[in-house]
């Protein structure tokens, strides 16, 4: 019974590691984010419009205030270049052919 549980635990760890290696990452301006997160960024930016008062008060891009912003994208919000970084990431993610040749993409 113990060896069966150990085998299951090893298999579970292997699957988790395998899943992590199958992600595509984009490295840009010192940030590394998952392509999946950037695709979510596109959806969030297209669907969510913050209140006008929030836009006027914050120097951050409005998507930084979205509660569903993926965790790996949140550190970008602290950058003074957040708006241009988000725009560049969205451009990279929109062009599937570019992903094959873009140096920023790994994985």
């Amino acid at each position: 019974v113990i060896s069966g549980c150990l085998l299951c635990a090893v298999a579970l760890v292997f699957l988790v590691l395998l899943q992590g290696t199958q992600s595509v990452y984009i490295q840009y301006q010192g940030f590394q984010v998952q392509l999946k997160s950037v695709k979510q960024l596109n959806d969030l930016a297209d669907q969510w419009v913050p209140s006008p008062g929030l836009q006027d008060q914050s120097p951050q891009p409005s998507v930084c205030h979205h509660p569903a912003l993926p965790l790996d994208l949140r550190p970008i919000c602290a950058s003074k270049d957040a708006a241009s970084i988000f725009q560049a990431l969205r451009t990279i993610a929109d062009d599937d052919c570019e992903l094959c040749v873009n140096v920023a993409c790994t994985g």
Side-chain angles (χ1 to χ4, degrees):
V1 174
I2 293 176
S3 64
C5 289
L6 183 58
L7 183 60
C8 287
V10 169
L12 181 63
V13 169
F14 179 72
L15 288 174
V16 168
L17 291 175
L18 182 62
Q19 181 183 6
T21 61
Q22 298 206 6
S23 297
V24 173
Y25 289 90
I26 298 174
Q27 294 181 356
Y28 187 79
Q29 298 280 330
F31 296 99
Q32 180 175 331
V33 297
Q34 291 186 15
L35 175 60
K36 175 178 69 170
S37 297
V38 177
K39 294 218 181 249
Q40 288 176 332
L41 170 67
N42 282 340
D43 294 340
L44 293 177
D46 292 342
Q47 295 172 0
W48 192 62
V49 178
S51 66
L54 182 60
Q55 287 178 320
D56 294 340
Q57 294 174 356
S58 177
Q60 295 177 326
S62 60
V63 75
C64 288
H65 302 287
H66 196 294
L69 184 68
L71 293 177
D72 58 334
L73 295 176
R74 292 184 187 267
I76 295 172
C77 291
S79 169
K80 63 182 172 90
D81 300 322
S84 64
I85 292 171
F86 280 135
Q87 185 58 45
L89 290 173
R90 291 181 69 190
T91 301
I92 291 169
D94 283 341
D95 189 356
D96 291 334
C97 292
E98 180 78 11
L99 287 174
C100 299
V101 296
N102 195 314
V103 177
C105 300
T106 61

